[in-house]
Amino acid sequence: MSAANSGPAADSGAIEGLSGIPHLDVDPFSTEFFSDPYPTHDLLREAGPVVYLDKWNVYAVARYAEVHAVLNDPLTFCSGRGVGLSDFAKEKPWRPQSIILEADPPAHARTRAVLNQVLSASVVKRLREGFAAAAAAKVDELLKVKSFDAIADLAEAFPMSVFPDALGLKQEGREHLLPYAVVGFNAFGPPNELRQKALERSAPHQAYVQEQCQRENVAPEGFAGCIHARADTGDITGAEASLLVRALLSAGIDTTVNGIGAAVYCLARFPEQFALLRQDPTLARSAFEEAVRFESPVQTFFRTTTREVEISGHRIGEGEKVLMFLGAANRDPRRWDAPDSYDITRRTSGHVGFGSGIHMCVGQLVARLEGEVMLTALAQRIAKIEITGEPKRRFNNTLRGLDSLPVTVTPA
Ligand code: OVV
């Protein structure tokens, strides 16, 4: 920033406060913002390395370097006071606190180790064949109707056809899974209408999830059963096992729905990239990863400062919420060449779409497997994806994605 400590900053529309931190009057949880976040992402990045959002009284970082730095200093920027706007030191959480997402070192390491093992590369490898067959069957089914909604019929239908089985859930009640996730991801946001309405209607979804987290309700061989088995070895208690199953029910479905939705939306909008993928279907994994960078299905998370700290020369006090714009970091021109281009041959490593550091997505191998097998099936079977109607956006305080994407596909 320029030298002045007060007065308007040149081009950002920001007013600097006494600390030299620009104050912005944008609401990143409004439908106007969700409809087109990119000009505001640019404003946030250009205003300074750290900004203050007067609307919600929080600090925010939108540049790659600062988002990465905050993610990788979990003792200073803690998760234990919640990773949404609500500070658990001041407000009661809407549900019992997560013992992995909303936990800090050293306690976090023990629960994280359990999920790392349950969702390890060797375990996920054994799922590949079945997931690939399900993706191929789904695409064959869609090729029969040709015109469909790529969100409901593909991005939602495919994860729903494989993930609840992999968890070991019973059939009954699975319709609660997506609505429960919608509550969870809206609840990270401020007390706006999205959050309040979601919580108002959450009781039946919460009751379902609470019940399915119990050991007697899951198959022993699935992810949930494997978590519960760790109670026998004494690594965790039975109650802790239930809370870790809850984490997978919360975070395992709507994230991949929006990841796969993002990838299909990208391939439909950028046919030259779909052509590249068709030429070489082994690019499927990269094409999915680039969609996660490009759309950032998980847009934001908060941290809370545990002490006074400096971010890029700006002092922030203890007990302050810091909002991290993962989606803005993933398109920061300081870090990425042509950040606004979807390029499946790009080196995506280092993107923060799955986070970074000790809390980085524990289910990332399952997510990538789902994305890869679906994009492989599309590449092998489909010649063209045409958007045939106005895509409708879905508004959520944390997740970015579409509500509907009407498409017509042509067989290869
Ligand atoms: C809604 C959500 C997202 C990610 C993780 C969790 C929940 C959790 O319960 O750990």
Side-chain angles (χ1 to χ4, degrees):
M1 289 303 297
S2 54
N5 255 355
S6 61
D11 356 74
S12 63
I15 309 290
E16 286 183 20
L18 285 175
S19 64
I21 295 177
H23 283 230
L24 272 71
D25 146 35
V26 300
D27 180 3
F29 302 99
S30 64
T31 50
E32 305 81 77
F33 173 82
F34 296 143
S35 298
D36 183 12
Y38 301 114
T40 307
H41 280 169
D42 198 44
L43 189 78
L44 289 160
R45 282 188 306 253
E46 296 312 312
V50 50
V51 301
Y52 193 81
L53 304 182
D54 289 322
K55 170 87 187 175
W56 301 112
N57 284 313
V58 293
Y59 292 89
V61 289
R63 295 183 186 173
Y64 180 85
E66 282 74 21
V67 168
H68 189 268
V70 170
L71 284 169
N72 284 282
D73 186 357
L75 290 177
T76 306
F77 301 98
C78 80
S79 293
R81 290 167 71 167
V83 297
L85 176 65
S86 174
D87 182 353
F88 295 172
K90 300 174 182 161
E91 285 184 293
K92 189 176 173 276
W94 68 278
R95 60 174 197 173
Q97 194 167 337
S98 171
I99 58 172
I100 180 159
L101 179 76
E102 296 156 348
D104 295 314
H108 169 266
R110 187 174 55 92
T111 51
R112 175 75 189 206
V114 170
L115 287 194
N116 277 346
Q117 285 159 13
V118 168
L119 301 168
S120 70
S122 61
V123 173
V124 172
K125 205 171 178 181
R126 283 181 247 142
L127 295 174
R128 174 173 287 267
E129 213 182 334
F131 277 32
K138 175 54 66 185
V139 174
D140 285 339
E141 177 196 323
L142 294 172
L143 273 167
K144 285 185 195 152
V145 293
K146 292 193 172 65
S147 295
F148 56 90
D149 180 354
I151 302 304
D153 304 331
L154 192 166
E156 292 181 355
F158 174 59
M160 283 299 293
S161 76
V162 292
F163 190 68
D165 287 340
L167 276 169
L169 299 183
K170 53 185 185 194
Q171 289 293 333
E172 186 197 350
R174 290 181 179 191
E175 68 279 5
H176 289 287
L177 287 168
L178 277 169
Y180 181 78
V182 166
V183 176
F185 283 101
N186 273 319
F188 293 129
N192 58 12
E193 186 171 302
L194 274 171
R195 184 180 199 270
Q196 304 312 82
K197 285 253 152 67
L199 284 172
E200 262 169 41
R201 301 168 190 160
S202 67
H205 313 313
Q206 289 202 64
Y208 164 79
V209 164
Q210 163 69 20
E211 197 57 25
Q212 307 321 306
C213 289
Q214 305 310 308
R215 190 169 193 172
E216 60 272 22
N217 290 322
V218 301
E221 65 278 9
F223 294 140
C226 291
I227 293 170
H228 278 293
R230 300 295 294 266
D232 301 337
T233 55
D235 297 318
I236 49 174
T237 66
E240 287 174 330
S242 293
L243 279 171
L244 290 177
V245 173
R246 194 193 67 177
L248 301 195
L249 295 181
S250 304
I253 303 219
D254 213 3
T255 47
T256 56
V257 165
N258 284 292
I260 293 167
V264 175
Y265 191 30
C266 284
L267 295 171
R269 277 176 297 172
F270 310 113
E272 80 292 346
Q273 296 297 306
F274 187 51
L276 270 180
L277 175 63
R278 289 191 59 222
Q279 259 174 44
D280 179 6
T282 68
L283 288 171
R285 206 166 170 89
S286 307
F288 180 69
E289 203 70 23
E290 170 68 345
V292 174
R293 180 199 69 84
F294 187 79
E295 288 292 341
S296 299
V298 176
Q299 284 274 297
T300 50
F301 270 126
F302 292 82
R303 294 291 188 260
T304 313
T305 57
T306 57
R307 60 173 175 87
E308 187 178 278
V309 57
E310 247 185 43
I311 302 182
S312 306
H314 294 288
R315 199 170 292 282
I316 297 178
E318 183 277 335
E320 299 287 350
K321 282 283 174 177
V322 179
L323 174 56
M324 304 177 294
F325 285 93
L326 308 177
N330 278 342
R331 288 172 176 242
D332 183 353
R334 292 163 190 77
R335 170 63 181 77
W336 306 97
D337 292 331
D340 299 323
S341 300
Y342 176 72
D343 172 6
I344 70 173
T345 64
R346 170 197 300 279
R347 286 171 44 174
T348 56
S349 88
H351 81 75
V352 290
F354 287 114
S356 179
I358 65 164
H359 289 285
M360 189 177 179
C361 179
V362 75
Q364 59 185 282
L365 296 182
V366 185
R368 291 198 184 103
L369 175 63
E370 288 181 32
E372 181 191 348
V373 297
M374 176 48 75
L375 295 198
T376 302
L378 293 171
Q380 291 173 337
R381 287 168 168 75
I382 289 179
K384 202 164 89 183
I385 308 172
E386 262 182 297
I387 300 175
T388 52
E390 192 63 37
K392 281 201 186 67
R393 189 148 293 284
R394 184 172 281 178
F395 299 114
N396 182 284
N397 281 331
T398 304
L399 298 173
R400 174 170 177 78
L402 297 177
D403 208 34
S404 71
L405 176 62
V407 296
T408 298
V409 294
T410 311

